[in-house]
Amino acid sequence: MTEIPEKLKIGPREGVSYPIKVQYCGNCSMPLEYCEYYPEYEKCKQWLEKHLPSEFEKVKLEEESQGADGEGDDKKRQKRGGKGMLKSKKKEEGPKRITLSRAPRGKKKSVTVVTGLKTFEIDLKVAAKFFGQKFACGSSVTGDDEIVIQGDVKDDLFDVIPEKWPEIDEDFLEDLVTKKDRFCLK
Ligand SMILES: [Zn+2]
């Protein structure tokens, strides 16, 4: 195996903004960078905290640094270099997201499609085998970062995945079918 040069490695780096994917706010439906111009910015932040905690951390840090001139400067700087900083760094390692969706197969059957496990450095073959055993059904790697499970097990996966891989918080799991509904619940 050849060593990957540092600059070709995947993953965000400090101080660089990534146009990889525009993320939209579920509250005002604008790209996140426009939220602060929205009258209900507080609500946007609440939404952000709940759905995109890593983005929320960034907003918080930015706000803190903006307010960091003048009095209380030292105090704030201490805070920024403290626990909160470490936590946000860890969470920003990469654009991680696992999607779970149901796809029709034949007239009555459906399969479950799981994508994104690779972003957590999970061996897809091992994962597919695990799902197959867990649900006693067919399960195979069908793409670069895709597993198809023969059966409608999507709802179970929300429990099974974080249980099997504790590093995957339930927040990383995105339900592709109900996502739309959730965005309408303004
Ligand atoms: Zn917003």
Side-chain angles (χ1 to χ4, degrees):
M1 257 206 180
T2 35
E3 276 266 86
I4 303 167
E6 185 66 35
K7 62 176 178 180
L8 291 181
K9 278 185 185 166
I10 296 166
R13 217 146 308 186
E14 224 179 330
V16 184
S17 66
Y18 288 84
I20 292 169
K21 189 183 155 196
V22 177
Q23 287 182 299
Y24 292 91
C25 172
N27 181 54
C28 67
S29 76
M30 298 292 280
L32 293 180
E33 56 204 293
Y34 293 105
C35 280
E36 57 176 307
Y37 304 109
Y38 190 68
E40 292 181 338
Y41 185 35
E42 279 308 312
K43 277 194 185 170
C44 289
K45 280 196 282 188
Q46 281 166 16
W47 181 90
L48 207 59
E49 187 174 20
K50 200 169 164 205
H51 297 273
L52 294 167
S54 62
E55 292 297 325
F56 180 72
E57 282 292 327
K58 277 190 227 163
V59 171
K60 240 172 46 183
L61 287 175
E62 248 175 56
E63 275 186 0
E64 277 170 17
S65 66
Q66 272 164 16
D69 28 303
E71 279 184 359
D73 193 40
D74 286 344
K75 218 176 174 183
K76 272 173 182 152
R77 199 175 292 149
Q78 265 177 10
K79 204 171 148 197
R80 289 177 63 205
K83 266 187 193 167
M85 194 73 170
L86 286 173
K87 202 177 159 196
S88 74
K89 245 188 182 172
K90 203 180 160 201
K91 279 199 168 179
E92 284 168 33
E93 273 170 1
K96 291 177 175 174
R97 177 114 306 194
I98 290 174
T99 65
L100 306 174
S101 56
R102 195 179 285 138
R105 189 183 181 96
K107 272 181 184 167
K108 284 182 179 173
K109 285 183 178 174
S110 55
V111 299
T112 307
V113 183
V114 184
T115 70
L117 284 171
K118 216 175 165 182
T119 60
F120 286 88
E121 287 167 23
I122 288 165
D123 188 322
L124 292 190
K125 280 183 197 161
V126 173
K129 199 178 166 193
F130 166 74
F131 291 138
Q133 284 166 350
K134 184 87 187 170
F135 300 116
C137 63
S139 168
S140 51
V141 180
T142 52
D144 181 44
D145 192 357
E146 187 185 87
I147 290 175
V148 169
I149 305 167
Q150 307 294 321
D152 183 0
V153 296
K154 193 182 68 176
D155 295 338
D156 298 308
L157 287 174
F158 283 92
D159 297 320
V160 168
I161 289 177
E163 204 179 288
K164 168 78 177 170
W165 297 281
E167 71 268 33
I168 305 178
D169 192 87
E170 213 188 318
D171 288 347
F172 286 117
L173 302 175
E174 187 171 11
D175 187 332
L176 277 192
V177 177
T178 56
K179 185 187 161 196
K180 227 174 154 188
D181 302 337
R182 219 193 296 160
F183 272 66
C184 293
L185 290 173
K186 275 185 191 175

